[in-house]
Amino acid sequence: MTKAILLAAALSLLSTRAPAQNLPADKEASIRADLTGQIDAMKKQVQVMVDNVFSFGELGFQEFETSKYLTGLLEKEGFKIERGVAGIPTAFVATWGQGKPVIALGSDIDDIPQASQKPGVAYHAPLLDGAPGHGEGHNSGMPLNITAALAVKKVMEREHLQGTIKLWPGVAEEQLGTKAYYVRAGMFKDVDVVLFAHVGDNFRVAAGPGNQTGLVSIEYTFKGETAHAAGAPWRGRSALDAVELMDVGWNFRREHIRPGSRIHYVITNGGDQPNVVPSNATVWYYYREADYQHVMDLWKIGDDMAQAAGLMTGTTVTSRLLGSAWPGHFNLPIAEAMYQNMGKVGLPVWSEADQALAKGLQHELKVPERGLAAKIPELRRPQPPADDDNGIGPIGGGSDDIGDVSWVVPTVTLNYPSNIPGGPGHNWANGVSMATPIAHKGVVAGAKVQALTMLDIVLHPELVQKAWDYFRDVQTRNTKYQSFLRPGDQPAIWLNQKIMEEYRPKMKALYYDPSKYDTYLEQLGIQYPTVK
Ligand SMILES: [Zn+2]
């Protein structure tokens, strides 16, 4: 080739690349190294944030201390805060920067009932008996996002890079309570990519559908008539009978629905005392299935069952929706970029003490004593649809209302290694590591992956283009999002209020005080690790 042709080829290559922010490779490499170095320098800040939120231990919709603390941090760093978004008091959006791309970082902040646990102790030892606690690890995700956001912001300011960073909390994720409302309120209208973070026991990222179920959470309240339960029971109409018959109905029906369906309930009101026929009773159901239509089918069966139980008992029934979630579908190009970054960052270096805590807990739980994550698993690629000739459908599993978000904007979930493998989930055991060096190291490593992925998006507009191509041409080609929410549905912001009123005064005495103690473990006087 002549020089002229070479020059023309080079020019055409330049002009077909997206404009703006692609930098020379060596410049980009030095920015990336600087970014991860900055996050290493934020270790202390990470520990303080993770320990603080752990000590607040707030249930869904009641995350007032957590929300105040996180928005306070972000406000001080120059983020503009919008509070009470979508009519949810503890929800917020924190925004910094301007123009495209718009990257929104989310993570859940609520915890689990009765999961109170002393961190660093490898057996069941509540901090406060019966109190809620971070028995999943939702205390770590927003600290991770804040760390990543602050480091990326610094780089963007210094290098004069354009873009907008938004942070938002998953309020009441355990109730699947808010993200569909965020979508309805238009929170993601101008967002290019959502990077969600959720605690795990290793680095993981998935693309495509198939690892979460969809769900509706419905509360049924029956009304009957009180009477003396011994003196004149024939004059009463028992709402509790209706609840029990509805539950019996479902428990017989289970065998005749797809095996992958998951239906569970708790009776939140079963009456006052045995000598009064209960005139009010409430049962709360989760209906989980693989897709929108199958969830709707379960909801219809449930409503029929409630009507039938009312007819059998001469009571009336009303219902309300307390939460919902679409099954997630995660973006392949962004997941690939994130997976590359996981490989570059690598797993944390665990100490002997970290491994001793992990193995001590695994021994206690009678699961294989393998210690902490040792190898990053493969990227979970989109799975081909399962052979479904018998209409069996995929087999159950959990839900996360990030699913709704994933259907309106390209989204991925970053799982990061802050937890000990082998826990049952939603249990004190999953809280053991969550205010210890294991969680802190996992968050530092996770923040690097998040920050590097943000940088990929800021510096490479073609990645955003690919993400939207996948979203439009693959993900939403045949499936269109339609919310489970009906126009009249409102966020169930009263949930957990009573429990928190009971425990918060006692929990306040246990809030982490970083001005007096280096770590929360030190404040609690816990030897790390404490193993039987
Ligand atoms: Zn969760």
Side-chain angles (χ1 to χ4, degrees), residues 363-374:
H363 183 79
E364 181 74 11
L365 297 174
K366 300 182 177 68
V367 297
E369 292 170 37
R370 294 200 186 107
L372 294 159

Side-chain angles (χ1 to χ4, degrees), residues 108 136 138 173-174 198-199 400 426:
D108 304 325
E136 179 163 337
H138 284 180
E173 188 276 330
E174 301 301 343
H198 194 285
V199 64
D400 189 316
H426 294 179

Side-chain angles (χ1 to χ4, degrees), residues 257-376:
I257 53 175
R258 306 203 308 169
S261 306
R262 291 285 180 277
I263 298 132
H264 18 254
Y265 60 89
V266 291
I267 298 173
T268 52
N269 174 17
D272 297 311
Q273 57 189 55
N275 66 341
V276 180
V277 172
S279 63
N280 283 288
T282 302
V283 61
W284 180 10
Y285 270 88
Y286 280 14
Y287 303 135
R288 300 190 207 243
E289 249 288 7
D291 54 44
Y292 175 83
Q293 194 49 53
H294 284 98
V295 172
M296 293 302 284
D297 292 347
L298 290 182
W299 191 354
K300 170 74 169 63
I301 298 171
D303 282 359
D304 285 350
M305 220 144 318
Q307 290 298 331
L311 287 173
M312 280 187 273
T313 52
T315 61
T316 59
V317 64
T318 55
S319 71
R320 57 181 174 179
L321 178 111
L322 299 186
S324 67
W326 258 62
H329 186 125
F330 298 103
N331 192 269
L332 180 60
I334 303 291
E336 284 172 334
M338 182 174 275
Y339 186 71
Q340 290 285 316
N341 293 325
M342 284 176 180
K344 284 175 198 147
V345 170
L347 286 164
V349 177
W350 308 116
S351 69
E352 264 177 51
D354 300 336
Q355 294 287 11
L357 181 71
K359 289 180 182 169
L361 180 69
Q362 288 161 345
H363 183 79
E364 181 74 11
L365 297 174
K366 300 182 177 68
V367 297
E369 292 170 37
R370 294 200 186 107
L372 294 159
K375 186 173 180 287
I376 301 173

Side-chain angles (χ1 to χ4, degrees), residues 141-313:
M142 282 306 275
L144 181 155
N145 283 339
I146 291 174
T147 307
L150 296 185
V152 171
K153 171 176 176 271
K154 213 182 266 179
V155 166
M156 288 172 70
E157 283 171 332
R158 197 187 53 211
E159 306 293 332
H160 306 290
L161 297 171
Q162 182 188 291
T164 304
I165 303 172
K166 288 173 180 276
L167 291 98
W168 55 274
V171 165
E173 188 276 330
E174 301 301 343
Q175 283 74 37
L176 296 307
T178 55
K179 295 186 193 97
Y181 290 102
Y182 292 169
V183 169
R184 187 168 83 178
M187 203 198 260
F188 304 100
K189 256 194 327 223
D190 62 343
V191 174
D192 293 298
V193 176
V194 167
L195 300 179
F196 193 65
H198 194 285
V199 64
D201 57 24
N202 204 334
F203 272 133
R204 271 188 198 89
V205 61
N211 62 346
Q212 287 177 349
T213 53
L215 160 157
V216 287
S217 157
I218 313 288
E219 181 193 66
Y220 297 92
T221 295
F222 293 87
K223 284 208 186 312
E225 185 63 48
T226 64
H228 194 300
W234 58 88
R235 294 177 65 176
R237 295 289 177 267
S238 171
L240 178 61
D241 287 356
V243 163
E244 290 189 85
L245 284 165
M246 178 174 179
D247 296 346
V248 167
W250 259 123
N251 289 330
F252 273 91
R253 185 67 178 263
R254 275 180 204 284
E255 192 168 28
H256 311 291
I257 53 175
R258 306 203 308 169
S261 306
R262 291 285 180 277
I263 298 132
H264 18 254
Y265 60 89
V266 291
I267 298 173
T268 52
N269 174 17
D272 297 311
Q273 57 189 55
N275 66 341
V276 180
V277 172
S279 63
N280 283 288
T282 302
V283 61
W284 180 10
Y285 270 88
Y286 280 14
Y287 303 135
R288 300 190 207 243
E289 249 288 7
D291 54 44
Y292 175 83
Q293 194 49 53
H294 284 98
V295 172
M296 293 302 284
D297 292 347
L298 290 182
W299 191 354
K300 170 74 169 63
I301 298 171
D303 282 359
D304 285 350
M305 220 144 318
Q307 290 298 331
L311 287 173
M312 280 187 273
T313 52

